[in-house]
Amino acid sequence: MLKKTFFLLLFSTGFLGIKAQQTIPFRITKNNNIIVKTLVNKKDSLDLMFQIAMKEGAISPQRQRKADHLIFNKEEISENNTVDIGKMSWKDIRFTDNQLTGHEADGKIGTALFKGKTFKIDYDNNRFEIYEKLPDLKGYQPIPVIWKQDLFYFVADNVVDGKKQQEEYFALQSGYSGGILYSNDFADEKELDKHLKVTGEKTLKNSQGQSVITKQGILPFFKLNNFVFKNMPVGFFSGELKTQNISYFGADMMRRFIWIFDADRKMAYIKPSKYYSEPYYKIN
């Protein structure tokens, strides 16, 4: 009887260990950005945009709420801050000052919230889930990822000219409200301005009079694992300045899936969310 009780207790403990989790609620803006309500240094209530492409935090010069208890040095860095979300607390969070962020946000917070943990971005239920171990992966497709300099990279296929698939590495970028934004190298090499149907164009000039032309085009096919998107809007740059060094998988595409990232940051697992078939976000 004691042996039976011991094994029952062991099984129950193991089961709870797999299922035990912490959750962080968030809301999604009309611009597809994730907003988390935080308390910084026990004093400043700030709405921070989750930025998967960074580790620590940042404060925007256009913030609506005060951040008087963040002390920045000459390099605009503030060390050793606390961040509270509900009953959860993080220490030693670094903040950078004067970084632009998404609409409705006072700043940004990154993946330091999930250091050493498996985490899920659950767009269906508007929450993050934090795990000690991988949860049930039934229905998910695995995607190998490379985590480098706080960016998650993965490979996807692009059909530009209707003939063959072109592989490209994309970085997850939850701060970019749109879907796909191509690097200058990919746009130039694949001659996107010739092969894609261009639907929009804007020209911007810097203080030196150099021009940056942003274009919107229609990509015939985009394939991520077994998921295929047809006739989707994509963005790319042309002009004299070549500043876009990375291709982005933006927030409009991210929200179409539920994401699980392992603690080692070597694999992601995805399945369609309730936004999978929603209309594409329009870049103004």
Side-chain angles (χ1 to χ4, degrees), residues 170-212:
F170 292 87
L172 293 177
Q173 173 51 273
S174 57
Y176 174 62
S177 297
I180 300 299
L181 179 64
Y182 286 110
S183 69
N184 291 123
D185 287 346
F186 187 89
D188 292 344
E189 180 184 346
K190 309 306 179 187
E191 297 182 307
L192 298 187
D193 56 344
K194 294 181 180 179
H195 293 300
L196 298 186
K197 177 183 177 182
V198 176
T199 58
E201 179 178 316
K202 289 183 180 180
T203 300
L204 306 174
K205 289 185 179 292
N206 67 4
S207 57
Q208 285 76 43
Q210 295 172 305
S211 63
V212 178

Side-chain angles (χ1 to χ4, degrees), residues 62-74:
Q62 300 175 349
R63 60 184 177 272
Q64 298 298 309
R65 297 164 188 82
K66 293 182 178 180
D68 295 339
H69 298 85
L70 280 164
I71 308 301
F72 294 97
N73 60 23
K74 293 180 180 179

Side-chain angles (χ1 to χ4, degrees), residues 107-157:
K108 299 178 282 191
I109 190 70
T111 55
L113 299 177
F114 316 115
K115 183 178 179 180
K117 306 288 186 181
T118 293
F119 72 97
K120 176 194 288 188
I121 307 177
D122 186 348
Y123 284 98
D124 283 356
N125 296 294
N126 285 9
R127 67 189 184 191
F128 298 106
E129 298 180 2
I130 305 173
Y131 295 87
E132 293 293 335
K133 300 179 182 180
L134 281 173
D136 183 8
L137 297 174
K138 184 178 180 180
Y140 287 83
Q141 292 188 20
I143 301 176
V145 295
I146 299 172
W147 195 46
K148 183 179 180 182
Q149 296 180 333
D150 302 328
L151 294 175
F152 287 95
Y153 294 91
F154 63 88
V155 174
D157 292 318

Side-chain angles (χ1 to χ4, degrees), residues 156-260:
D157 292 318
N158 313 261
V159 177
V160 173
D161 56 7
K163 296 178 181 179
K164 63 179 181 178
Q165 296 179 5
Q166 309 278 1
E167 281 192 346
E168 172 67 342
Y169 276 92
F170 292 87
L172 293 177
Q173 173 51 273
S174 57
Y176 174 62
S177 297
I180 300 299
L181 179 64
Y182 286 110
S183 69
N184 291 123
D185 287 346
F186 187 89
D188 292 344
E189 180 184 346
K190 309 306 179 187
E191 297 182 307
L192 298 187
D193 56 344
K194 294 181 180 179
H195 293 300
L196 298 186
K197 177 183 177 182
V198 176
T199 58
E201 179 178 316
K202 289 183 180 180
T203 300
L204 306 174
K205 289 185 179 292
N206 67 4
S207 57
Q208 285 76 43
Q210 295 172 305
S211 63
V212 178
I213 301 173
T214 63
K215 294 186 177 183
Q216 295 293 314
I218 301 298
L219 184 73
F221 292 94
F222 181 88
K223 186 172 183 288
L224 175 58
N225 272 24
N226 294 329
F227 300 107
V228 177
F229 296 86
K230 299 179 181 180
N231 298 320
M232 63 182 294
V234 297
F236 59 97
F237 292 90
S238 62
E240 300 167 12
L241 293 179
K242 306 293 183 183
T243 58
Q244 187 64 33
N245 300 318
I246 301 170
S247 292
Y248 287 155
F249 191 88
D252 184 43
M253 292 303 294
M254 284 191 64
R255 71 184 177 122
R256 298 174 191 276
F257 299 95
I258 296 174
W259 299 78
I260 296 175

